[in-house]
Coordinates of all heavy atoms in Angstrom, one line a residue:
F69 N -31.6 -25.4 74.2 CA -30.9 -24.1 74.1 C -30.2 -23.9 75.5 O -30.8 -24.1 76.5 CB -31.9 -23.0 73.9 CG -32.5 -23.0 72.5 CD1 -33.8 -23.5 72.3 CD2 -31.8 -22.6 71.4 CE1 -34.4 -23.5 71.0 CE2 -32.3 -22.7 70.1 CZ -33.6 -23.1 69.9
Y70 N -29.0 -23.4 75.4 CA -28.4 -23.0 76.6 C -27.5 -21.8 76.4 O -27.2 -21.4 75.3 CB -27.6 -24.1 77.3 CG -26.3 -24.6 76.7 CD1 -25.1 -24.2 77.2 CD2 -26.3 -25.4 75.6 CE1 -23.9 -24.6 76.7 CE2 -25.1 -25.8 75.1 CZ -23.9 -25.4 75.6 OH -22.7 -25.8 75.1
I71 N -27.1 -21.1 77.5 CA -26.2 -20.0 77.5 C -25.2 -20.1 78.6 O -25.4 -21.0 79.5 CB -27.0 -18.6 77.7 CG1 -27.9 -18.7 79.0 CG2 -27.9 -18.3 76.5 CD1 -28.5 -17.4 79.4
Q72 N -24.2 -19.3 78.6 CA -23.2 -19.3 79.6 C -23.8 -18.7 80.9 O -24.7 -17.8 80.8 CB -22.0 -18.5 79.3 CG -21.2 -19.1 78.1 CD -21.5 -18.2 76.9 OE1 -22.6 -17.9 76.5 NE2 -20.4 -17.9 76.2
E73 N -23.4 -19.2 82.0 CA -23.9 -18.7 83.3 C -23.6 -17.2 83.5 O -24.4 -16.5 84.0 CB -23.2 -19.5 84.4 CG -23.7 -19.2 85.8 CD -25.0 -19.9 86.1 OE1 -25.1 -21.0 85.7 OE2 -25.8 -19.3 86.8
H74 N -22.5 -16.7 83.0 CA -22.1 -15.3 83.2 C -22.5 -14.4 82.0 O -22.0 -13.3 81.9 CB -20.6 -15.3 83.5 CG -20.3 -16.0 84.8 ND1 -19.8 -17.3 84.7 CD2 -20.5 -15.7 86.1 CE1 -19.6 -17.7 86.0 NE2 -20.1 -16.8 86.8
Y75 N -23.3 -14.9 81.2 CA -23.8 -14.1 80.0 C -24.9 -13.2 80.5 O -25.9 -13.7 81.1 CB -24.2 -15.0 78.9 CG -24.9 -14.4 77.7 CD1 -24.1 -13.8 76.7 CD2 -26.3 -14.3 77.6 CE1 -24.7 -13.2 75.7 CE2 -26.9 -13.7 76.5 CZ -26.1 -13.1 75.6 OH -26.7 -12.5 74.5
T76 N -24.9 -11.9 80.1 CA -26.0 -11.0 80.5 C -26.6 -10.6 79.2 O -26.0 -9.9 78.4 CB -25.4 -9.8 81.3 OG1 -24.8 -10.3 82.4 CG2 -26.6 -8.9 81.7
A77 N -27.8 -11.0 78.9 CA -28.5 -10.6 77.7 C -29.0 -9.2 77.8 O -29.6 -8.8 78.8 CB -29.7 -11.6 77.5
K78 N -28.9 -8.5 76.7 CA -29.4 -7.1 76.6 C -30.7 -7.0 75.9 O -31.5 -6.1 76.0 CB -28.4 -6.2 76.0 CG -27.1 -6.0 76.8 CD -26.1 -5.2 76.0 CE -24.8 -5.1 76.8 NZ -23.7 -4.5 76.1
N79 N -30.9 -8.0 75.0 CA -32.1 -7.9 74.1 C -33.2 -9.0 74.4 O -34.2 -9.1 73.7 CB -31.7 -8.1 72.6 CG -30.7 -7.0 72.2 OD1 -31.0 -5.8 72.4 ND2 -29.5 -7.4 71.8
T80 N -32.9 -9.9 75.4 CA -33.8 -10.9 75.7 C -34.1 -10.9 77.2 O -33.1 -10.8 78.0 CB -33.2 -12.3 75.3 OG1 -32.9 -12.2 73.9 CG2 -34.2 -13.4 75.5
S81 N -35.3 -11.0 77.6 CA -35.6 -10.9 79.0 C -35.1 -12.1 79.8 O -35.0 -13.2 79.3 CB -37.1 -10.8 79.2 OG -37.7 -12.1 79.0
A82 N -34.8 -11.8 81.1 CA -34.3 -12.9 82.0 C -35.4 -14.0 82.1 O -35.1 -15.2 82.2 CB -34.0 -12.3 83.3
K83 N -36.7 -13.6 82.1 CA -37.8 -14.5 82.2 C -37.8 -15.5 81.0 O -37.9 -16.7 81.2 CB -39.1 -13.8 82.3 CG -40.3 -14.8 82.5 CD -41.6 -14.1 82.8 CE -42.8 -15.0 82.8 NZ -42.7 -16.2 83.4
Y84 N -37.6 -14.9 79.8 CA -37.5 -15.8 78.6 C -36.4 -16.8 78.7 O -36.5 -18.0 78.5 CB -37.3 -14.9 77.4 CG -37.4 -15.7 76.1 CD1 -38.6 -15.9 75.5 CD2 -36.2 -16.2 75.5 CE1 -38.6 -16.6 74.3 CE2 -36.3 -16.9 74.3 CZ -37.5 -17.1 73.7 OH -37.5 -17.9 72.6
L85 N -35.2 -16.3 79.1 CA -34.0 -17.2 79.2 C -34.2 -18.2 80.3 O -33.9 -19.4 80.1 CB -32.8 -16.3 79.5 CG -32.3 -15.4 78.4 CD1 -31.2 -14.6 78.8 CD2 -32.0 -16.2 77.1
S86 N -34.8 -17.9 81.4 CA -35.0 -18.9 82.5 C -36.1 -19.9 82.1 O -36.1 -21.0 82.6 CB -35.3 -18.2 83.8 OG -36.6 -17.6 83.8
T87 N -37.0 -19.5 81.2 CA -38.1 -20.4 80.8 C -37.6 -21.4 79.7 O -37.9 -22.6 79.7 CB -39.3 -19.6 80.3 OG1 -39.7 -18.8 81.3 CG2 -40.4 -20.6 79.8
F88 N -36.8 -20.9 78.7 CA -36.5 -21.7 77.5 C -35.0 -22.1 77.4 O -34.7 -22.8 76.5 CB -36.9 -20.9 76.3 CG -38.4 -20.7 76.2 CD1 -38.9 -19.4 76.4 CD2 -39.3 -21.7 76.1 CE1 -40.3 -19.2 76.4 CE2 -40.7 -21.5 76.1 CZ -41.2 -20.2 76.2
Y89 N -34.2 -21.5 78.3 CA -32.8 -21.8 78.2 C -32.2 -22.5 79.5 O -32.8 -22.2 80.5 CB -32.0 -20.5 77.9 CG -32.0 -20.1 76.5 CD1 -33.1 -19.6 75.9 CD2 -30.8 -20.2 75.7 CE1 -33.2 -19.2 74.6 CE2 -30.8 -19.8 74.4 CZ -32.0 -19.3 73.8 OH -32.0 -18.9 72.5
K90 N -31.2 -23.3 79.3 CA -30.5 -23.8 80.4 C -29.1 -23.2 80.5 O -28.7 -22.5 79.5 CB -30.3 -25.3 80.3 CG -31.6 -26.1 80.3 CD -31.4 -27.6 80.1 CE -32.7 -28.4 80.2 NZ -32.5 -29.8 80.2
T91 N -28.5 -23.3 81.6 CA -27.1 -22.8 81.7 C -26.2 -24.0 81.4 O -26.6 -25.2 81.4 CB -26.8 -22.3 83.1 OG1 -26.8 -23.3 84.0 CG2 -27.7 -21.1 83.5

Side-chain angles (χ1 to χ4, degrees):
F69 290 106
Y70 75 101
I71 54 172
Q72 297 106 310
E73 186 79 35
H74 299 99
Y75 172 82
T76 305
K78 295 177 183 169
N79 301 304
T80 306
S81 74
K83 180 171 175 42
Y84 185 87
L85 293 175
S86 67
T87 302
F88 299 112
Y89 280 69
K90 295 181 176 187
T91 65

